[in-house]
Amino acid sequence: MIPLQRADHHRRPQPVEGPPVQPTPLRPAPARTEPVGLRKGAVDLLAFARRRLSGDYTVDEFGFDQELTDTLLLPPLRALYQKWFRVEVSGIENLPAEGGALIVSNHSGTLPIDALMTAVAVHDNHPQQRYLRMLGADLVFQVPMLGALARKSGQTLACNPDAEQLLRSGELVGVWPEGFKGVGKPFTDRYKLQRFGRGGFVSAALRTGVPIIPCSIVGAEEIYPKIGDVKALARLFGLPYFPITPFFPLLGPLGAIPLPSKWHIRFGEPVKTDGYAEDAQDDPMLVFTLTDQVRETIQQTLYRMLDQRGNPFFG
């Protein structure tokens, strides 16, 4: 008997050597993208809130909270700076890339908004985005909530020990020597510098050997034109003055909105203090001379800027 041959179609297929074939997915996985715009803002805000609740943040010995400043305080000030006052800045190259320096500026505007705008100008225009540690009056730190926010934004009391400690630590420190005499002067005296006190800021600069940088601000005088002062109300509320403007208190809360003047901030050439003797801060004539030099530099710069300015609200 002849055995039957197995038909070809009954043979098992032999495996083929080669790389394994991956199954084609029915729907490709979406590409991972970084959140942008409002979504990124929401993600960052949630992350910020988690860190605050967990206590995962730091402040320095003066209470400066860099993360809170960057996340909550600078953004609204930056909007005011860019969109409302349309601030232009020149002379930023006169600020040191590192190390301490004392920025001395004129003061005006009925409310000290010029100090806040100067802080934004320094941070947003400096190549290293340095922070301006502002020296404030006692009244700032006596107001509930405002005092705490001032500390967290890097401000401290306007006294020589605090100023010198910040300068020795390599910080940029801002001071407005006219104080309330400058910020609260009547509109008829606009851009006329008041007395610079006893030159305490010069003593601090001499003792620490840091440069003094004159700063001139044009535009702040027009935000709240002060045309009157109710002294009885000022004494009642413990204020240095109670201002009357064309719109406040006539329009109530609406009168508290600053007028949208066009601002210019100019940082002048540094006045060096590191070439004097160690006890130079104890020489009253030297302190007076440097104080007067800085004041006159700011005053003359203001006059030149005003000559170059067009309309106060359109530049």
Side-chain angles (χ1 to χ4, degrees):
M1 175 180 263
I2 301 174
L4 297 175
Q5 297 293 326
R6 184 175 294 175
D8 289 342
H9 61 271
H10 289 296
R11 292 178 181 172
R12 290 183 178 178
Q14 298 298 315
V16 179
E17 296 292 334
V21 179
Q22 298 294 333
T24 303
L26 296 178
R27 180 181 296 175
R32 292 177 61 87
T33 58
E34 294 294 327
V36 296
L38 291 176
R39 184 183 172 197
K40 183 179 186 302
V43 171
D44 291 344
L45 194 59
L46 286 173
F48 168 76
R50 282 197 298 270
R51 288 192 295 273
R52 307 310 288 191
L53 292 173
S54 64
D56 185 20
Y57 62 93
T58 59
V59 298
D60 72 6
E61 58 187 309
F62 289 96
F64 175 47
D65 189 331
Q66 181 177 329
E67 184 187 42
L68 183 136
T69 299
D70 289 340
T71 306
L72 294 184
L73 303 182
L74 273 178
L77 292 176
R78 186 175 291 121
L80 194 65
Y81 173 96
Q82 294 176 346
K83 304 300 183 182
W84 196 250
F85 297 132
R86 297 146 291 142
V87 182
E88 292 183 3
V89 176
S90 60
I92 201 71
E93 67 277 3
N94 290 318
L95 302 184
E98 58 184 16
L102 185 64
I103 297 175
V104 181
S105 179
N106 60 305
H107 211 12
S108 62
T110 303
L111 290 180
I113 297 177
D114 53 357
L116 300 175
M117 294 299 101
T118 305
V120 178
V122 170
H123 180 270
D124 287 7
N125 290 277
H126 196 284
Q128 277 72 47
Q129 293 190 316
R130 299 192 66 180
Y131 295 91
L132 182 62
R133 308 300 294 271
M134 297 177 283
L135 303 180
D138 298 12
L139 180 62
V140 173
F141 302 99
Q142 293 169 1
V143 178
M145 292 187 63
L146 178 61
L149 280 178
R151 287 285 184 189
K152 290 185 178 298
S153 69
Q155 298 184 47
T156 190
L157 195 62
C159 62
N160 273 35
D162 283 7
E164 291 169 19
Q165 187 171 345
L166 285 168
L167 291 170
R168 287 195 179 96
S169 300
E171 300 286 353
L172 290 180
V173 177
V175 62
W176 289 260
E178 293 176 278
F180 289 121
K181 298 188 304 294
V183 74
K185 64 179 174 289
F187 190 64
T188 52
D189 291 338
R190 59 193 179 277
Y191 299 112
K192 296 177 183 177
L193 293 187
Q194 305 299 299
R195 185 172 172 268
F196 266 22
R198 299 180 180 178
F201 68 92
V202 169
S203 298
L206 286 169
R207 192 171 277 109
T208 55
V210 303
I212 300 172
I213 300 173
C215 176
S216 306
I217 304 173
V218 164
E221 295 277 17
E222 288 81 17
I223 62 173
Y224 296 114
K226 184 186 170 193
I227 58 177
D229 184 4
V230 184
K231 298 186 182 301
L233 289 177
R235 288 193 296 269
L236 177 64
F237 293 110
L239 301 173
Y241 51 85
F242 190 92
I244 302 296
T245 75
F247 305 104
F248 181 83
L250 181 63
L251 298 183
L254 288 177
I257 299 174
L259 297 180
S261 55
K262 170 72 175 175
W263 286 38
H264 301 263
I265 299 178
R266 182 170 298 174
F267 298 100
E269 294 185 4
V271 177
K272 296 187 178 298
T273 65
D274 55 356
Y276 295 97
E278 291 185 4
D279 59 349
Q281 69 276 358
D282 298 324
D283 183 348
M285 282 305 299
L286 175 61
V287 171
F288 174 81
T289 300
L290 288 177
T291 301
D292 191 60
Q293 176 187 343
V294 172
R295 182 184 180 279
E296 190 62 21
T297 298
I298 296 172
Q299 182 68 83
Q300 294 303 319
T301 303
L302 287 174
Y303 287 150
R304 289 194 296 271
M305 293 170 70
L306 289 169
D307 285 341
Q308 298 166 2
R309 178 175 74 158
N311 185 284
F313 296 96
F314 301 103

